[in-house]
Amino acid sequence: MSGNRTFTMIKPDAVENGVSGAILKQIQEAGFKIIALKQTKLSLEQASKFYFIHRERPFYADLCAFMSSGPIFPAILEKENAVEDFRKLIGATNPANADAGTIRKNFAESIDKNAIHGSDSDENAVIESNFFFSELERF
Ligand code: GDP
């Protein structure tokens, strides 16, 4: 049985392009409640830690450099079946393959600058939420 929370980040490309508000609007209109949200910026070291799971992949260095290149909006979201439903809402990793109406189709530029992150499991949603937020920051 799947949990009711997931973790997301609006990535530096989307923040830079001024579409964070539009993305949050689409998330809320899809029925997700915002439990925690802030603007922050990762150091290269922090991004490398967050994406450690991808350390063997050829794009790891580029990914960590990109994710520490500018401000991001991490958030914790709540909805029934949150992880799976949010992955559907954001669409395929490569926006060229994302379904019409998904966040990546609407707002992403490319497979690396793809606007938004969504946890891929309940377990990772907890780990990723704890990376950014204390209990005091959750409502
Ligand atoms: P996701 O779960 O849909 O975000 O995709 P993955 O877990 O496969 O990859 C994590 C992130 O790495 C993606 O969201 C992209 O930002 C980035 N990424 C994936 N594939 C590539 C690639 O081929 N090149 C680069 N530079 N980045 C990639």
Side-chain angles (χ1 to χ4, degrees):
M1 168 139 173
S2 145
N4 65 350
R5 285 192 180 185
T6 191
F7 171 81
T8 186
M9 292 181 286
I10 300 176
K11 296 187 177 184
D13 57 313
V15 177
E16 172 69 21
N17 292 337
V19 295
S20 303
I23 290 175
L24 288 171
K25 181 168 187 277
Q26 185 170 350
I27 289 170
Q28 288 184 302
E29 285 178 351
F32 291 87
K33 182 182 170 198
I34 297 173
I35 301 297
L37 173 68
K38 62 184 163 190
Q39 183 167 207
T40 188
K41 184 174 179 294
L42 291 171
S43 66
L44 181 59
E45 191 182 9
Q46 288 168 329
S48 305
K49 191 174 170 204
F50 184 88
Y51 281 110
F52 192 67
I53 197 169
H54 291 319
R55 64 194 177 283
E56 305 290 349
R57 296 174 84 171
F59 55 81
Y60 178 63
D62 287 345
L63 173 62
C64 297
F66 167 62
M67 287 303 297
S68 58
S69 68
I72 58 171
F73 283 89
I76 301 173
L77 304 174
E78 188 172 273
K79 182 185 181 293
E80 204 176 299
N81 203 33
V83 166
E84 192 183 340
D85 285 3
F86 194 71
R87 298 281 297 184
K88 278 189 202 141
L89 180 67
I90 68 177
T93 308
N94 186 344
N97 302 328
D99 289 343
T102 59
I103 291 173
R104 282 172 168 162
K105 183 57 102 184
N106 290 345
F107 300 107
E109 300 167 22
S110 58
I111 191 167
D112 50 327
K113 295 182 176 177
N114 64 358
I116 192 156
H117 168 84
S119 302
D120 63 4
S121 67
D122 290 344
E123 187 190 5
N124 283 336
V126 171
I127 294 168
E128 293 170 359
S129 297
N130 291 345
F131 186 92
F132 282 97
F133 295 104
S134 74
E135 284 306 317
L136 286 172
E137 296 172 299
R138 303 174 193 213
F139 297 92

